[in-house]
Amino acid sequence: MANIGLDSLFYAPITEGADGTETYGTPQKLAKAISAELSVEIAEAILYADDAAAESVKSFKNGKLTLGVDDIGIDKAQLLTGASVDDNGVLVSTSEDLPPYVAIGFRAQKSNGKYRYFWLFKVQFGIPSISLQTKGDSISFQTPSIEGTIVRRNKPLGNDKHPWKAEVTEGDAGVSDTTITNWFKAVYEPAYAGD
């Protein structure tokens, strides 16, 4: 089913313990969402034997998330990019800024009225891009976009795998109402027998 909307853009700060295990802070609203583009890079290896492909392995390498938003604001730009605010309230970006990792959550409305929910567990953003244009005969909105790199979590699941994304569609078989209503209250933690 096709997606027809995008809203509820949240972020959650990440604290890493000495062992690298991530702990998520409380999700907070990031901005009004305009667009979200997710692309994934796959590592692939093909073993050739007897003059043909005998085996193939594909695994997640990393991903890119490009968000179009109405406005990022100084406080969110500081948090997402590692920039600092000086004594005059000016956002100052330096070559030494170290952007922290955050979790990003959002939802997309489907054409049947249901929503598909997402959490990207570990994203590091770069500097927001800005496009400006003078007013002419008509007014054209100019909004920022910000691109982040998605990596897998350090903390393995009970099945000993490292997640990078969680996705669910409300109303699908096996999806509880509690999972949907709690989606933006905390970063989703996958549940497997043995966890």
Side-chain angles (χ1 to χ4, degrees):
M1 187 137 321
N3 295 323
I4 61 170
L6 173 69
D7 68 6
S8 301
L9 181 57
F10 283 79
Y11 74 94
I14 297 174
T15 304
E16 285 194 23
D19 63 353
T21 300
E22 300 89 350
T23 302
Y24 296 101
T26 303
Q28 299 174 31
K29 190 84 164 142
L30 177 58
K32 290 182 179 178
I34 295 173
S35 63
E37 183 178 328
L38 174 64
S39 60
V40 175
E41 190 171 334
I42 301 294
E44 181 177 15
I46 300 173
L47 173 67
Y48 290 91
D50 287 340
D51 295 332
E55 291 184 46
S56 174
V57 175
K58 295 182 183 190
S59 67
F60 174 79
K61 188 174 177 183
N62 63 46
K64 292 283 182 205
L65 175 66
T66 304
L67 294 174
V69 296
D70 67 332
D71 187 24
I72 293 175
I74 287 180
D75 59 335
K76 304 288 187 343
Q78 180 182 9
L79 179 122
L80 294 179
T81 67
S84 61
V85 176
D86 74 4
D87 294 340
N88 296 315
V90 176
L91 181 69
V92 179
S93 298
T94 69
S95 59
E96 292 81 14
D97 292 343
L98 296 172
Y101 285 104
V102 296
I104 296 293
F106 53 90
R107 70 180 187 171
Q109 187 176 21
K110 298 173 57 158
S111 59
N112 66 357
K114 303 280 187 185
Y115 285 91
R116 178 175 289 144
Y117 292 79
F118 297 86
W119 270 113
L120 302 172
F121 291 118
K122 198 169 183 181
V123 182
Q124 186 178 47
F125 286 100
I127 304 300
S129 67
I130 301 170
S131 176
L132 304 171
Q133 178 179 331
T134 189
K135 286 194 298 186
D137 291 337
S138 63
I139 295 173
S140 170
F141 286 106
Q142 306 298 314
T143 58
S145 65
I146 187 166
E147 184 176 284
T149 301
I150 305 162
V151 296
R152 72 178 200 170
R153 266 178 31 173
N154 294 331
K155 178 183 176 184
L157 301 172
N159 62 4
D160 210 29
K161 295 183 180 180
H162 298 83
W164 63 273
K165 176 181 80 163
E167 177 180 345
V168 67
T169 300
E170 70 177 314
D172 278 0
V175 177
S176 73
D177 291 340
T178 304
T179 298
I180 299 302
T181 57
N182 291 331
W183 195 258
F184 296 118
K185 293 179 182 175
V187 176
Y188 179 76
E189 283 292 339
Y192 290 94
D195 275 351

PDB file of all heavy atoms in Angstrom, residues 108-144:
ATOM      1  N   ALA A 108       4.592   7.343   8.726  1.00  0.00           N
ATOM      2  CA  ALA A 108       4.115   7.672   7.382  1.00  0.00           C
ATOM      3  C   ALA A 108       2.708   7.123   7.228  1.00  0.00           C
ATOM      4  O   ALA A 108       2.467   5.947   7.498  1.00  0.00           O
ATOM      5  CB  ALA A 108       5.029   7.056   6.328  1.00  0.00           C
ATOM      6  N   GLN A 109       1.797   7.986   6.818  1.00  0.00           N
ATOM      7  CA  GLN A 109       0.422   7.538   6.613  1.00  0.00           C
ATOM      8  C   GLN A 109       0.326   6.786   5.292  1.00  0.00           C
ATOM      9  O   GLN A 109       0.921   7.179   4.290  1.00  0.00           O
ATOM     10  CB  GLN A 109      -0.549   8.709   6.605  1.00  0.00           C
ATOM     11  CG  GLN A 109      -1.997   8.252   6.557  1.00  0.00           C
ATOM     12  CD  GLN A 109      -2.989   9.402   6.644  1.00  0.00           C
ATOM     13  OE1 GLN A 109      -2.646  10.543   6.356  1.00  0.00           O
ATOM     14  NE2 GLN A 109      -4.201   9.106   7.030  1.00  0.00           N
ATOM     15  N   LYS A 110      -0.433   5.690   5.327  1.00  0.00           N
ATOM     16  CA  LYS A 110      -0.665   4.892   4.131  1.00  0.00           C
ATOM     17  C   LYS A 110      -1.994   5.301   3.500  1.00  0.00           C
ATOM     18  O   LYS A 110      -2.820   5.952   4.136  1.00  0.00           O
ATOM     19  CB  LYS A 110      -0.653   3.413   4.501  1.00  0.00           C
ATOM     20  CG  LYS A 110       0.698   2.965   5.068  1.00  0.00           C
ATOM     21  CD  LYS A 110       0.666   1.565   5.596  1.00  0.00           C
ATOM     22  CE  LYS A 110       0.222   0.617   4.544  1.00  0.00           C
ATOM     23  NZ  LYS A 110       0.606  -0.763   4.722  1.00  0.00           N
ATOM     24  N   SER A 111      -2.203   4.911   2.275  1.00  0.00           N
ATOM     25  CA  SER A 111      -3.419   5.313   1.565  1.00  0.00           C
ATOM     26  C   SER A 111      -4.690   4.738   2.180  1.00  0.00           C
ATOM     27  O   SER A 111      -5.777   5.244   1.928  1.00  0.00           O
ATOM     28  CB  SER A 111      -3.321   4.934   0.085  1.00  0.00           C
ATOM     29  OG  SER A 111      -3.135   3.541  -0.057  1.00  0.00           O
ATOM     30  N   ASN A 112      -4.585   3.713   3.034  1.00  0.00           N
ATOM     31  CA  ASN A 112      -5.770   3.165   3.699  1.00  0.00           C
ATOM     32  C   ASN A 112      -6.053   3.835   5.043  1.00  0.00           C
ATOM     33  O   ASN A 112      -6.928   3.414   5.779  1.00  0.00           O
ATOM     34  CB  ASN A 112      -5.627   1.647   3.889  1.00  0.00           C
ATOM     35  CG  ASN A 112      -4.516   1.269   4.852  1.00  0.00           C
ATOM     36  OD1 ASN A 112      -3.788   2.114   5.359  1.00  0.00           O
ATOM     37  ND2 ASN A 112      -4.380  -0.024   5.085  1.00  0.00           N
ATOM     38  N   GLY A 113      -5.280   4.880   5.383  1.00  0.00           N
ATOM     39  CA  GLY A 113      -5.494   5.615   6.624  1.00  0.00           C
ATOM     40  C   GLY A 113      -4.678   5.107   7.805  1.00  0.00           C
ATOM     41  O   GLY A 113      -4.581   5.769   8.825  1.00  0.00           O
ATOM     42  N   LYS A 114      -4.095   3.918   7.696  1.00  0.00           N
ATOM     43  CA  LYS A 114      -3.237   3.374   8.753  1.00  0.00           C
ATOM     44  C   LYS A 114      -1.858   4.032   8.653  1.00  0.00           C
ATOM     45  O   LYS A 114      -1.527   4.673   7.663  1.00  0.00           O
ATOM     46  CB  LYS A 114      -3.093   1.860   8.613  1.00  0.00           C
ATOM     47  CG  LYS A 114      -4.394   1.099   8.620  1.00  0.00           C
ATOM     48  CD  LYS A 114      -4.913   0.920  10.001  1.00  0.00           C
ATOM     49  CE  LYS A 114      -6.141   0.003   9.966  1.00  0.00           C
ATOM     50  NZ  LYS A 114      -6.750  -0.128  11.240  1.00  0.00           N
ATOM     51  N   TYR A 115      -1.038   3.838   9.685  1.00  0.00           N
ATOM     52  CA  TYR A 115       0.301   4.423   9.703  1.00  0.00           C
ATOM     53  C   TYR A 115       1.374   3.348   9.770  1.00  0.00           C
ATOM     54  O   TYR A 115       1.196   2.309  10.397  1.00  0.00           O
ATOM     55  CB  TYR A 115       0.468   5.347  10.921  1.00  0.00           C
ATOM     56  CG  TYR A 115      -0.243   6.666  10.762  1.00  0.00           C
ATOM     57  CD1 TYR A 115      -1.555   6.823  11.194  1.00  0.00           C
ATOM     58  CD2 TYR A 115       0.394   7.752  10.193  1.00  0.00           C
ATOM     59  CE1 TYR A 115      -2.212   8.035  11.052  1.00  0.00           C
ATOM     60  CE2 TYR A 115      -0.254   8.965  10.046  1.00  0.00           C
ATOM     61  CZ  TYR A 115      -1.555   9.103  10.479  1.00  0.00           C
ATOM     62  OH  TYR A 115      -2.197  10.300  10.337  1.00  0.00           O
ATOM     63  N   ARG A 116       2.509   3.627   9.144  1.00  0.00           N
ATOM     64  CA  ARG A 116       3.713   2.802   9.257  1.00  0.00           C
ATOM     65  C   ARG A 116       4.682   3.598  10.134  1.00  0.00           C
ATOM     66  O   ARG A 116       4.950   4.764   9.875  1.00  0.00           O
ATOM     67  CB  ARG A 116       4.328   2.551   7.888  1.00  0.00           C
ATOM     68  CG  ARG A 116       5.622   1.733   7.964  1.00  0.00           C
ATOM     69  CD  ARG A 116       6.151   1.387   6.590  1.00  0.00           C
ATOM     70  NE  ARG A 116       5.256   0.391   6.001  1.00  0.00           N
ATOM     71  CZ  ARG A 116       4.943   0.348   4.713  1.00  0.00           C
ATOM     72  NH1 ARG A 116       5.425   1.240   3.882  1.00  0.00           N
ATOM     73  NH2 ARG A 116       4.130  -0.593   4.260  1.00  0.00           N
ATOM     74  N   TYR A 117       5.166   2.968  11.199  1.00  0.00           N
ATOM     75  CA  TYR A 117       6.018   3.625  12.192  1.00  0.00           C
ATOM     76  C   TYR A 117       7.464   3.158  12.043  1.00  0.00           C
ATOM     77  O   TYR A 117       7.707   1.984  11.757  1.00  0.00           O
ATOM     78  CB  TYR A 117       5.529   3.285  13.606  1.00  0.00           C
ATOM     79  CG  TYR A 117       4.192   3.889  13.939  1.00  0.00           C
ATOM     80  CD1 TYR A 117       3.009   3.310  13.481  1.00  0.00           C
ATOM     81  CD2 TYR A 117       4.105   5.036  14.720  1.00  0.00           C
ATOM     82  CE1 TYR A 117       1.774   3.863  13.789  1.00  0.00           C
ATOM     83  CE2 TYR A 117       2.872   5.586  15.036  1.00  0.00           C
ATOM     84  CZ  TYR A 117       1.719   5.002  14.567  1.00  0.00           C
ATOM     85  OH  TYR A 117       0.499   5.556  14.879  1.00  0.00           O
ATOM     86  N   PHE A 118       8.413   4.066  12.283  1.00  0.00           N
ATOM     87  CA  PHE A 118       9.832   3.766  12.132  1.00  0.00           C
ATOM     88  C   PHE A 118      10.632   4.266  13.331  1.00  0.00           C
ATOM     89  O   PHE A 118      10.342   5.332  13.876  1.00  0.00           O
ATOM     90  CB  PHE A 118      10.419   4.482  10.900  1.00  0.00           C
ATOM     91  CG  PHE A 118       9.827   4.068   9.602  1.00  0.00           C
ATOM     92  CD1 PHE A 118       8.672   4.670   9.125  1.00  0.00           C
ATOM     93  CD2 PHE A 118      10.429   3.087   8.829  1.00  0.00           C
ATOM     94  CE1 PHE A 118       8.119   4.310   7.909  1.00  0.00           C
ATOM     95  CE2 PHE A 118       9.886   2.720   7.617  1.00  0.00           C
ATOM     96  CZ  PHE A 118       8.728   3.326   7.153  1.00  0.00           C
ATOM     97  N   TRP A 119      11.654   3.529  13.722  1.00  0.00           N
ATOM     98  CA  TRP A 119      12.750   4.005  14.571  1.00  0.00           C
ATOM     99  C   TRP A 119      14.044   3.603  13.878  1.00  0.00           C
ATOM    100  O   TRP A 119      14.228   2.436  13.516  1.00  0.00           O
ATOM    101  CB  TRP A 119      12.721   3.388  15.972  1.00  0.00           C
ATOM    102  CG  TRP A 119      11.922   4.180  16.944  1.00  0.00           C
ATOM    103  CD1 TRP A 119      10.747   3.808  17.539  1.00  0.00           C
ATOM    104  CD2 TRP A 119      12.219   5.484  17.466  1.00  0.00           C
ATOM    105  NE1 TRP A 119      10.293   4.799  18.372  1.00  0.00           N
ATOM    106  CE2 TRP A 119      11.187   5.847  18.347  1.00  0.00           C
ATOM    107  CE3 TRP A 119      13.252   6.395  17.263  1.00  0.00           C
ATOM    108  CZ2 TRP A 119      11.155   7.063  19.028  1.00  0.00           C
ATOM    109  CZ3 TRP A 119      13.223   7.611  17.940  1.00  0.00           C
ATOM    110  CH2 TRP A 119      12.181   7.928  18.813  1.00  0.00           C
ATOM    111  N   LEU A 120      14.923   4.563  13.677  1.00  0.00           N
ATOM    112  CA  LEU A 120      16.284   4.309  13.215  1.00  0.00           C
ATOM    113  C   LEU A 120      17.142   4.438  14.465  1.00  0.00           C
ATOM    114  O   LEU A 120      17.192   5.504  15.085  1.00  0.00           O
ATOM    115  CB  LEU A 120      16.689   5.304  12.133  1.00  0.00           C
ATOM    116  CG  LEU A 120      15.763   5.295  10.914  1.00  0.00           C
ATOM    117  CD1 LEU A 120      16.109   6.428   9.963  1.00  0.00           C
ATOM    118  CD2 LEU A 120      15.842   3.950  10.201  1.00  0.00           C
ATOM    119  N   PHE A 121      17.798   3.362  14.869  1.00  0.00           N
ATOM    120  CA  PHE A 121      18.401   3.273  16.189  1.00  0.00           C
ATOM    121  C   PHE A 121      19.643   4.121  16.415  1.00  0.00           C
ATOM    122  O   PHE A 121      19.944   4.484  17.546  1.00  0.00           O
ATOM    123  CB  PHE A 121      18.740   1.817  16.519  1.00  0.00           C
ATOM    124  CG  PHE A 121      17.527   0.963  16.720  1.00  0.00           C
ATOM    125  CD1 PHE A 121      17.275  -0.107  15.885  1.00  0.00           C
ATOM    126  CD2 PHE A 121      16.630   1.218  17.744  1.00  0.00           C
ATOM    127  CE1 PHE A 121      16.157  -0.917  16.071  1.00  0.00           C
ATOM    128  CE2 PHE A 121      15.512   0.428  17.948  1.00  0.00           C
ATOM    129  CZ  PHE A 121      15.286  -0.640  17.110  1.00  0.00           C
ATOM    130  N   LYS A 122      20.397   4.445  15.363  1.00  0.00           N
ATOM    131  CA  LYS A 122      21.653   5.170  15.577  1.00  0.00           C
ATOM    132  C   LYS A 122      22.005   5.977  14.331  1.00  0.00           C
ATOM    133  O   LYS A 122      22.444   5.423  13.325  1.00  0.00           O
ATOM    134  CB  LYS A 122      22.759   4.172  15.920  1.00  0.00           C
ATOM    135  CG  LYS A 122      23.975   4.774  16.563  1.00  0.00           C
ATOM    136  CD  LYS A 122      24.891   3.684  17.094  1.00  0.00           C
ATOM    137  CE  LYS A 122      26.081   4.290  17.799  1.00  0.00           C
ATOM    138  NZ  LYS A 122      26.998   3.261  18.299  1.00  0.00           N
ATOM    139  N   VAL A 123      21.805   7.302  14.418  1.00  0.00           N
ATOM    140  CA  VAL A 123      22.025   8.193  13.287  1.00  0.00           C
ATOM    141  C   VAL A 123      22.954   9.326  13.720  1.00  0.00           C
ATOM    142  O   VAL A 123      22.798   9.886  14.803  1.00  0.00           O
ATOM    143  CB  VAL A 123      20.692   8.801  12.784  1.00  0.00           C
ATOM    144  CG1 VAL A 123      20.923   9.700  11.577  1.00  0.00           C
ATOM    145  CG2 VAL A 123      19.685   7.705  12.465  1.00  0.00           C
ATOM    146  N   GLN A 124      23.912   9.665  12.850  1.00  0.00           N
ATOM    147  CA  GLN A 124      24.802  10.799  13.104  1.00  0.00           C
ATOM    148  C   GLN A 124      24.630  11.787  11.959  1.00  0.00           C
ATOM    149  O   GLN A 124      24.835  11.446  10.793  1.00  0.00           O
ATOM    150  CB  GLN A 124      26.252  10.328  13.193  1.00  0.00           C
ATOM    151  CG  GLN A 124      27.214  11.424  13.585  1.00  0.00           C
ATOM    152  CD  GLN A 124      28.633  10.900  13.710  1.00  0.00           C
ATOM    153  OE1 GLN A 124      29.114  10.190  12.836  1.00  0.00           O
ATOM    154  NE2 GLN A 124      29.288  11.246  14.801  1.00  0.00           N
ATOM    155  N   PHE A 125      24.235  13.018  12.305  1.00  0.00           N
ATOM    156  CA  PHE A 125      23.937  14.025  11.296  1.00  0.00           C
ATOM    157  C   PHE A 125      25.129  14.914  10.989  1.00  0.00           C
ATOM    158  O   PHE A 125      26.013  15.105  11.826  1.00  0.00           O
ATOM    159  CB  PHE A 125      22.767  14.908  11.748  1.00  0.00           C
ATOM    160  CG  PHE A 125      21.444  14.213  11.661  1.00  0.00           C
ATOM    161  CD1 PHE A 125      20.859  13.675  12.792  1.00  0.00           C
ATOM    162  CD2 PHE A 125      20.799  14.074  10.447  1.00  0.00           C
ATOM    163  CE1 PHE A 125      19.642  13.023  12.716  1.00  0.00           C
ATOM    164  CE2 PHE A 125      19.584  13.419  10.355  1.00  0.00           C
ATOM    165  CZ  PHE A 125      19.007  12.895  11.498  1.00  0.00           C
ATOM    166  N   GLY A 126      25.096  15.498   9.802  1.00  0.00           N
ATOM    167  CA  GLY A 126      26.069  16.501   9.396  1.00  0.00           C
ATOM    168  C   GLY A 126      25.444  17.878   9.531  1.00  0.00           C
ATOM    169  O   GLY A 126      24.402  18.056  10.167  1.00  0.00           O
ATOM    170  N   ILE A 127      26.048  18.851   8.916  1.00  0.00           N
ATOM    171  CA  ILE A 127      25.578  20.236   8.963  1.00  0.00           C
ATOM    172  C   ILE A 127      24.329  20.362   8.079  1.00  0.00           C
ATOM    173  O   ILE A 127      24.316  19.877   6.946  1.00  0.00           O
ATOM    174  CB  ILE A 127      26.669  21.200   8.455  1.00  0.00           C
ATOM    175  CG1 ILE A 127      27.957  21.001   9.258  1.00  0.00           C
ATOM    176  CG2 ILE A 127      26.214  22.641   8.500  1.00  0.00           C
ATOM    177  CD1 ILE A 127      27.832  21.255  10.731  1.00  0.00           C
ATOM    178  N   PRO A 128      23.277  21.023   8.566  1.00  0.00           N
ATOM    179  CA  PRO A 128      22.077  21.205   7.739  1.00  0.00           C
ATOM    180  C   PRO A 128      22.388  22.011   6.482  1.00  0.00           C
ATOM    181  O   PRO A 128      23.191  22.947   6.521  1.00  0.00           O
ATOM    182  CB  PRO A 128      21.123  21.991   8.646  1.00  0.00           C
ATOM    183  CG  PRO A 128      21.636  21.789  10.023  1.00  0.00           C
ATOM    184  CD  PRO A 128      23.111  21.579   9.901  1.00  0.00           C
ATOM    185  N   SER A 129      21.771  21.643   5.383  1.00  0.00           N
ATOM    186  CA  SER A 129      21.933  22.428   4.155  1.00  0.00           C
ATOM    187  C   SER A 129      20.848  23.495   4.111  1.00  0.00           C
ATOM    188  O   SER A 129      19.743  23.301   4.607  1.00  0.00           O
ATOM    189  CB  SER A 129      21.854  21.530   2.916  1.00  0.00           C
ATOM    190  OG  SER A 129      20.560  20.996   2.780  1.00  0.00           O
ATOM    191  N   ILE A 130      21.218  24.608   3.538  1.00  0.00           N
ATOM    192  CA  ILE A 130      20.295  25.737   3.456  1.00  0.00           C
ATOM    193  C   ILE A 130      20.251  26.204   2.012  1.00  0.00           C
ATOM    194  O   ILE A 130      21.287  26.356   1.365  1.00  0.00           O
ATOM    195  CB  ILE A 130      20.754  26.897   4.363  1.00  0.00           C
ATOM    196  CG1 ILE A 130      20.846  26.430   5.807  1.00  0.00           C
ATOM    197  CG2 ILE A 130      19.811  28.093   4.238  1.00  0.00           C
ATOM    198  CD1 ILE A 130      21.519  27.417   6.726  1.00  0.00           C
ATOM    199  N   SER A 131      19.070  26.424   1.512  1.00  0.00           N
ATOM    200  CA  SER A 131      18.885  26.969   0.174  1.00  0.00           C
ATOM    201  C   SER A 131      18.065  28.244   0.316  1.00  0.00           C
ATOM    202  O   SER A 131      16.976  28.222   0.890  1.00  0.00           O
ATOM    203  CB  SER A 131      18.144  25.950  -0.695  1.00  0.00           C
ATOM    204  OG  SER A 131      17.873  26.500  -1.961  1.00  0.00           O
ATOM    205  N   LEU A 132      18.615  29.343  -0.159  1.00  0.00           N
ATOM    206  CA  LEU A 132      17.936  30.633  -0.041  1.00  0.00           C
ATOM    207  C   LEU A 132      17.679  31.213  -1.418  1.00  0.00           C
ATOM    208  O   LEU A 132      18.450  31.000  -2.348  1.00  0.00           O
ATOM    209  CB  LEU A 132      18.793  31.602   0.791  1.00  0.00           C
ATOM    210  CG  LEU A 132      19.183  31.099   2.184  1.00  0.00           C
ATOM    211  CD1 LEU A 132      20.194  32.022   2.823  1.00  0.00           C
ATOM    212  CD2 LEU A 132      17.961  30.950   3.056  1.00  0.00           C
ATOM    213  N   GLN A 133      16.583  31.965  -1.534  1.00  0.00           N
ATOM    214  CA  GLN A 133      16.207  32.541  -2.827  1.00  0.00           C
ATOM    215  C   GLN A 133      15.484  33.851  -2.573  1.00  0.00           C
ATOM    216  O   GLN A 133      14.647  33.950  -1.659  1.00  0.00           O
ATOM    217  CB  GLN A 133      15.296  31.542  -3.549  1.00  0.00           C
ATOM    218  CG  GLN A 133      14.775  32.007  -4.877  1.00  0.00           C
ATOM    219  CD  GLN A 133      13.905  30.936  -5.524  1.00  0.00           C
ATOM    220  OE1 GLN A 133      14.090  29.754  -5.298  1.00  0.00           O
ATOM    221  NE2 GLN A 133      12.954  31.371  -6.316  1.00  0.00           N
ATOM    222  N   THR A 134      15.774  34.838  -3.353  1.00  0.00           N
ATOM    223  CA  THR A 134      15.103  36.121  -3.196  1.00  0.00           C
ATOM    224  C   THR A 134      13.648  36.024  -3.650  1.00  0.00           C
ATOM    225  O   THR A 134      13.302  35.164  -4.459  1.00  0.00           O
ATOM    226  CB  THR A 134      15.839  37.223  -3.993  1.00  0.00           C
ATOM    227  OG1 THR A 134      15.295  38.492  -3.650  1.00  0.00           O
ATOM    228  CG2 THR A 134      15.708  37.010  -5.491  1.00  0.00           C
ATOM    229  N   LYS A 135      12.809  36.896  -3.071  1.00  0.00           N
ATOM    230  CA  LYS A 135      11.410  36.934  -3.496  1.00  0.00           C
ATOM    231  C   LYS A 135      11.336  37.569  -4.878  1.00  0.00           C
ATOM    232  O   LYS A 135      11.975  38.574  -5.141  1.00  0.00           O
ATOM    233  CB  LYS A 135      10.558  37.768  -2.537  1.00  0.00           C
ATOM    234  CG  LYS A 135      10.269  37.096  -1.229  1.00  0.00           C
ATOM    235  CD  LYS A 135       9.173  37.786  -0.442  1.00  0.00           C
ATOM    236  CE  LYS A 135       9.531  39.201  -0.058  1.00  0.00           C
ATOM    237  NZ  LYS A 135       8.538  39.834   0.815  1.00  0.00           N
ATOM    238  N   GLY A 136      10.569  36.993  -5.733  1.00  0.00           N
ATOM    239  CA  GLY A 136      10.340  37.551  -7.063  1.00  0.00           C
ATOM    240  C   GLY A 136       8.869  37.898  -7.182  1.00  0.00           C
ATOM    241  O   GLY A 136       8.256  38.424  -6.248  1.00  0.00           O
ATOM    242  N   ASP A 137       8.279  37.536  -8.295  1.00  0.00           N
ATOM    243  CA  ASP A 137       6.851  37.775  -8.499  1.00  0.00           C
ATOM    244  C   ASP A 137       5.991  36.869  -7.632  1.00  0.00           C
ATOM    245  O   ASP A 137       4.834  37.169  -7.372  1.00  0.00           O
ATOM    246  CB  ASP A 137       6.483  37.569  -9.971  1.00  0.00           C
ATOM    247  CG  ASP A 137       7.076  38.651 -10.864  1.00  0.00           C
ATOM    248  OD1 ASP A 137       7.364  39.748 -10.339  1.00  0.00           O
ATOM    249  OD2 ASP A 137       7.270  38.386 -12.066  1.00  0.00           O
ATOM    250  N   SER A 138       6.566  35.747  -7.214  1.00  0.00           N
ATOM    251  CA  SER A 138       5.825  34.837  -6.353  1.00  0.00           C
ATOM    252  C   SER A 138       6.722  34.417  -5.192  1.00  0.00           C
ATOM    253  O   SER A 138       7.934  34.523  -5.255  1.00  0.00           O
ATOM    254  CB  SER A 138       5.360  33.603  -7.137  1.00  0.00           C
ATOM    255  OG  SER A 138       6.478  32.888  -7.604  1.00  0.00           O
ATOM    256  N   ILE A 139       6.101  33.930  -4.123  1.00  0.00           N
ATOM    257  CA  ILE A 139       6.849  33.516  -2.943  1.00  0.00           C
ATOM    258  C   ILE A 139       7.084  32.013  -3.015  1.00  0.00           C
ATOM    259  O   ILE A 139       6.177  31.239  -3.316  1.00  0.00           O
ATOM    260  CB  ILE A 139       6.077  33.875  -1.658  1.00  0.00           C
ATOM    261  CG1 ILE A 139       5.958  35.398  -1.539  1.00  0.00           C
ATOM    262  CG2 ILE A 139       6.767  33.292  -0.437  1.00  0.00           C
ATOM    263  CD1 ILE A 139       5.075  35.854  -0.405  1.00  0.00           C
ATOM    264  N   SER A 140       8.302  31.608  -2.728  1.00  0.00           N
ATOM    265  CA  SER A 140       8.683  30.197  -2.736  1.00  0.00           C
ATOM    266  C   SER A 140       9.290  29.878  -1.378  1.00  0.00           C
ATOM    267  O   SER A 140      10.232  30.534  -0.948  1.00  0.00           O
ATOM    268  CB  SER A 140       9.694  29.962  -3.861  1.00  0.00           C
ATOM    269  OG  SER A 140      10.256  28.699  -3.781  1.00  0.00           O
ATOM    270  N   PHE A 141       8.740  28.871  -0.685  1.00  0.00           N
ATOM    271  CA  PHE A 141       9.278  28.495   0.621  1.00  0.00           C
ATOM    272  C   PHE A 141      10.655  27.869   0.469  1.00  0.00           C
ATOM    273  O   PHE A 141      10.872  27.053  -0.426  1.00  0.00           O
ATOM    274  CB  PHE A 141       8.350  27.498   1.329  1.00  0.00           C
ATOM    275  CG  PHE A 141       7.099  28.122   1.868  1.00  0.00           C
ATOM    276  CD1 PHE A 141       5.884  27.909   1.227  1.00  0.00           C
ATOM    277  CD2 PHE A 141       7.125  28.901   3.002  1.00  0.00           C
ATOM    278  CE1 PHE A 141       4.722  28.478   1.718  1.00  0.00           C
ATOM    279  CE2 PHE A 141       5.965  29.468   3.503  1.00  0.00           C
ATOM    280  CZ  PHE A 141       4.764  29.255   2.857  1.00  0.00           C
ATOM    281  N   GLN A 142      11.566  28.223   1.354  1.00  0.00           N
ATOM    282  CA  GLN A 142      12.898  27.639   1.412  1.00  0.00           C
ATOM    283  C   GLN A 142      13.031  26.992   2.786  1.00  0.00           C
ATOM    284  O   GLN A 142      12.869  27.663   3.807  1.00  0.00           O
ATOM    285  CB  GLN A 142      13.974  28.711   1.227  1.00  0.00           C
ATOM    286  CG  GLN A 142      13.815  29.546  -0.037  1.00  0.00           C
ATOM    287  CD  GLN A 142      13.917  28.711  -1.301  1.00  0.00           C
ATOM    288  OE1 GLN A 142      14.809  27.887  -1.419  1.00  0.00           O
ATOM    289  NE2 GLN A 142      12.996  28.916  -2.221  1.00  0.00           N
ATOM    290  N   THR A 143      13.309  25.721   2.825  1.00  0.00           N
ATOM    291  CA  THR A 143      13.390  24.997   4.095  1.00  0.00           C
ATOM    292  C   THR A 143      14.708  24.229   4.166  1.00  0.00           C
ATOM    293  O   THR A 143      15.265  23.840   3.133  1.00  0.00           O
ATOM    294  CB  THR A 143      12.213  24.015   4.241  1.00  0.00           C
ATOM    295  OG1 THR A 143      12.222  23.109   3.146  1.00  0.00           O
ATOM    296  CG2 THR A 143      10.888  24.766   4.299  1.00  0.00           C
ATOM    297  N   PRO A 144      15.207  23.992   5.380  1.00  0.00           N
ATOM    298  CA  PRO A 144      16.465  23.261   5.520  1.00  0.00           C
ATOM    299  C   PRO A 144      16.280  21.756   5.371  1.00  0.00           C
ATOM    300  O   PRO A 144      15.185  21.232   5.556  1.00  0.00           O
ATOM    301  CB  PRO A 144      16.911  23.609   6.943  1.00  0.00           C
ATOM    302  CG  PRO A 144      15.646  23.868   7.676  1.00  0.00           C
ATOM    303  CD  PRO A 144      14.701  24.472   6.669  1.00  0.00           C
TER     304      PRO A 144
END
